[in-house]
């Protein structure tokens, strides 16, 4: 197995992982009380805050729970018998399989009334701050009755850009509001970033598997994708990325460093630094998609590769789609040395981003309470991921593997080799159950036995029953009871 770059894991994470290991081996069992924070810090010779961070991280992942005045206790183990997906390392080469037709089917089927929402990467609307947004909306309409009568030209509404810059500090990035360009969602940010740094025919390196919308964007611009083998919790191999850069003259690299879609990992600070340095060394633009960064379960916001960017080489893209509103279609980009070009491209593409959502989101972010809301949201998602993981462990066939997300609400499931996830997808569509088949996360047709489940919705009996149905469908496919459909 090729080594990942030598990256250091933070102490609290090492401690948390060793406790997780003890839980999975049954040394610590459900209901067991963990040592007190003070006692454990003495025993491990680490600071009290390191132990607290480790406990909070485990609590956010649903592995332990704190009981008032009693301490921390082990919960029902997180999918204890189900291992993580394997790290596979096929030789990277540019490939061109396009899954847009299946992507359209996935989106269309998710829109059907009564569809069980395990497919699209959408948060439960009930968890979103709708009431607060509506309140602000009413206030803004009263204050600026002419809001819809003019363009808000690039770079976008100043109040919103100030809030974005303020929040970026939490991710270790000092960005000037004037350098931030507001876009129509992260999708527009990604498209503009690609157009600014590469041309048709150029090679773009990506994690594998990766978000199908990003793959679609690269291919629709006539660029070629090269997939870098990616560890399910530690990111793409930096050694293999460097080889690919040397061999295929890679022009840009796309990474989803916090809350990867579909793997759910959060890369370590050392990894991000190494990635920023490696790409800068070879003059390869780094497009960093931080869509899920606010949903990292850790005690503090994770850093970004952008925070280690010395040369303006990182184009940081994000949006409010996963934490405030997907419907506002509001995203942004900090494009480093490509900023001027980005603004030109924005003008040529959509001219400006809609004004009203910018005003509402800017005020919402300023109004306070967003961080408290995010804590509740993260806890809800971690719990939903835990429930779905347990159900997969219970209902899916022997040999199934699942990721251990460190952010967000997406779960990547690796089924036994002989189970074709496209067949499973067709059966799920017939049963009106959402799920996303693995091959659309690749341009090579890989991941035929994998699928992504979204845990964005509150746990319910309906979701439980849907997972029973999917588990049975897997059994049926494994027995050979379902014929292939071309
Ligand atoms: C990793 C990633 N990037 C970008 C997008 C697109 O985001 P937006 O809705 O803000 O355009 C998504 C949507 O699911 C995503 O998962």
């Amino acid at each position: 197995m090729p080594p990942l770059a030598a990256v250091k894991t933070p102490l609290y994470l090492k401690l948390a992982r060793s406790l997780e290991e003890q839980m999975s081996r049954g040394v610590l069992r459900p209901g067991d009380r963990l040592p007190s924070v003070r006692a454990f810090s003495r025993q491990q010779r680490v600071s009290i805050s390191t132990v607290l961070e480790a406990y909070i991280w485990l609590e956010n992942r649903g592995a332990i729970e704190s009981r008032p005045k009693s301490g921390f206790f082990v919960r029902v183990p997180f999918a204890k018998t189900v291992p993580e997906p394997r790290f596979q390392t096929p030789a990277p080469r540019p490939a061109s399989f396009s899954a847009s037709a299946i992507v359209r089917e996935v989106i269309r089927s998710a829109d059907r009334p009564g569809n069980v929402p395990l497919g699209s990467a959408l948060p439960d609307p009930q968890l979103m701050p709708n009431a607060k947004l509506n309140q602000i909306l009413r206030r803004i309409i009263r204050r600026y009755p002419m809001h819809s009568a003019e363009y808000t030209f690039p770079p976008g509404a100043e109040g919103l850009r100030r809030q974005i810059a303020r929040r970026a500090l939490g991710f270790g990035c000092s960005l000037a509001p004037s350098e931030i360009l507001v876009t129509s969602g992260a999708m527009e940010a990604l498209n503009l970033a690609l157009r600014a740094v590469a041309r048709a025919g150029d090679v773009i390196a990506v994690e594998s598997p990766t978000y199908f919308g990003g793959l679609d964007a690269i291919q629709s611009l006539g660029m070629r994708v090269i997939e870098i083998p990616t560890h399910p919790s530690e990111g793409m191999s930096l050694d293999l990325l460097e080889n690919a850069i040397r061999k295929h003259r890679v022009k840009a690299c796309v990474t989803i460093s916090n809350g990867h879609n579909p793997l759910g990992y959060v890369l370590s600070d050392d990894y991000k630094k190494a990635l920023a340095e490696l790409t800068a060394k070879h003059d390869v633009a780094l497009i960093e998609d931080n869509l899920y960064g606010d949903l990292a379960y850790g005690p503090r916001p994770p850093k970004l590769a952008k925070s280690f960017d010395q040369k303006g080489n990182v184009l940081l893209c994000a949006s409010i789609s996963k934490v405030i509103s997907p419907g506002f279609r509001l995203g942004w980009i900090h494009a480093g040395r490509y900023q001027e070009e980005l603004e030109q491209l924005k003008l040529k593409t959509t001219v400006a981003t809609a004004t009203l959502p910018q005003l509402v989101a800017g005020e919402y972010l300023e109004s306070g309470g967003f961080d408290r809301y995010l804590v509740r949201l993260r806890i809800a998602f971690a719990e939903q991921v835990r429930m779905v993981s347990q159900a997969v462990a219970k209902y899916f066939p022997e040999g199934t593997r699942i990721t251990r997300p460190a952010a967000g609400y997406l779960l990547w499931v690796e089924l036994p080799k002989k189970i074709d996830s496209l067949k499973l997808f067709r059966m799920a569509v017939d049963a009106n159950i959402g799920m996303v088949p693995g091959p659309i996360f690749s341009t090579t047709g890989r991941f035929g036995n994998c699928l992504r489940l979204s845990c964005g919705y509150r746990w319910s009996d309906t979701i439980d029953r849907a997972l029973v149905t999917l588990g049975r469908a897997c059994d049926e496919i494994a027995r050979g009871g379902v014929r292939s459909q071309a």
Side-chain angles (χ1 to χ4, degrees), residues 120-122 183-190 210-214 255-256 258-262 289-292 317-322 325-327 329-332 409-410 452:
S120 297
L122 282 173
T183 59
S184 301
M187 207 54 212
E188 189 190 26
L190 283 173
T210 193
Y211 170 52
F212 48 83
T255 181
I256 309 168
N258 293 325
H260 183 268
N261 178 0
D289 179 343
N290 190 38
L291 206 60
Y292 296 89
C317 305
S319 83
I320 62 165
S321 298
K322 309 298 172 181
S325 159
R329 304 306 303 128
L330 209 52
W332 61 89
Y409 45 80
L410 300 174
R452 188 194 75 185

Side-chain angles (χ1 to χ4, degrees), residues 7 144 204 211 236 340 371 378 395 427 441 450 461:
V7 287
Y144 309 112
I204 313 293
Y211 170 52
M236 65 187 143
E340 187 54 43
D371 284 309
R378 287 195 286 260
Y395 305 135
M427 293 168 84
F441 295 88
C450 298
D461 287 346

Side-chain angles (χ1 to χ4, degrees), residues 15-300:
L15 206 59
R17 293 232 163 103
S18 80
L19 286 166
E20 247 184 356
E21 169 78 15
Q22 291 188 43
M23 289 176 220
S24 70
R25 285 196 285 116
V27 180
L28 281 167
R29 283 166 309 171
D32 280 356
R33 186 169 184 271
L34 293 178
S36 75
V37 172
R38 200 171 291 279
F40 202 42
S41 95
R42 266 200 308 270
Q43 186 197 336
Q44 296 290 319
R45 298 191 192 172
V46 296
S47 70
I48 285 184
S49 66
T50 301
V51 175
L52 252 180
E53 283 186 336
Y55 282 10
I56 291 170
W57 189 84
L58 286 166
E59 189 180 24
N60 283 341
R61 279 165 66 98
I64 65 173
E65 63 188 340
S66 69
R67 296 187 195 154
K69 298 200 185 122
S70 314
F72 288 89
F73 292 80
V74 180
R75 297 180 83 154
V76 177
F78 175 75
K80 76 172 189 240
T81 53
V82 181
E84 291 186 67
R86 277 175 288 244
F87 177 33
Q88 290 166 9
T89 58
R93 58 181 167 79
S96 60
F97 168 76
S98 168
S100 348
I102 310 169
V103 172
R104 263 200 314 281
E105 259 187 88
V106 168
I107 292 170
R108 223 178 279 142
S109 62
D111 251 1
R112 281 162 55 184
N115 184 261
V116 184
L118 290 162
S120 297
L122 282 173
D124 192 332
Q126 302 297 333
L127 294 170
M128 297 282 96
N130 309 305
K132 185 94 194 195
L133 295 178
N134 289 339
Q135 205 182 37
I136 296 173
L137 191 65
R138 283 191 289 270
R139 212 161 54 220
I140 286 178
I141 290 172
R142 272 199 306 275
R143 208 183 315 145
Y144 309 112
M146 308 291 274
H147 65 84
S148 61
E150 43 193 48
Y151 288 114
T152 302
F153 284 112
E158 212 238 326
L160 173 63
R161 287 184 288 109
R162 244 186 298 117
Q163 292 310 315
I164 293 167
R166 186 178 63 80
R167 294 200 61 78
L169 284 174
F171 291 97
C173 298
S174 171
L175 313 177
S178 59
E179 298 161 356
I180 289 162
L181 172 69
V182 179
T183 59
S184 301
M187 207 54 212
E188 189 190 26
L190 283 173
N191 271 281
L192 297 180
L194 286 163
R195 287 171 62 192
V197 301
R199 303 278 164 271
D202 284 342
V203 176
I204 313 293
V206 299
E207 290 144 338
S208 178
T210 193
Y211 170 52
F212 48 83
L215 294 176
D216 246 0
I218 297 170
Q219 291 184 316
S220 68
L221 293 169
M223 298 167 191
R224 291 178 301 152
V225 171
I226 187 161
E227 293 179 27
I228 309 300
T230 300
H231 187 283
S233 61
E234 291 170 28
M236 65 187 143
S237 159
L238 294 184
D239 292 338
L240 294 180
L241 172 63
E242 187 158 30
N243 290 348
I245 289 173
R246 290 213 164 98
K247 198 160 157 201
H248 299 281
R249 293 216 265 127
V250 169
K251 200 74 192 188
C253 173
V254 182
T255 181
I256 309 168
S257 52
N258 293 325
H260 183 268
N261 178 0
L263 295 171
Y265 55 62
V266 170
L267 297 171
S268 71
D269 293 354
D270 285 346
Y271 181 102
K272 287 168 184 151
K273 182 167 185 285
L275 177 60
E277 287 172 359
L278 172 68
T279 44
K281 181 173 103 186
H282 292 282
D283 210 20
V284 169
L286 182 61
I287 300 175
E288 185 172 32
D289 179 343
N290 190 38
L291 206 60
Y292 296 89
D294 278 318
L295 297 177
Y297 304 160
R300 310 178 230 102

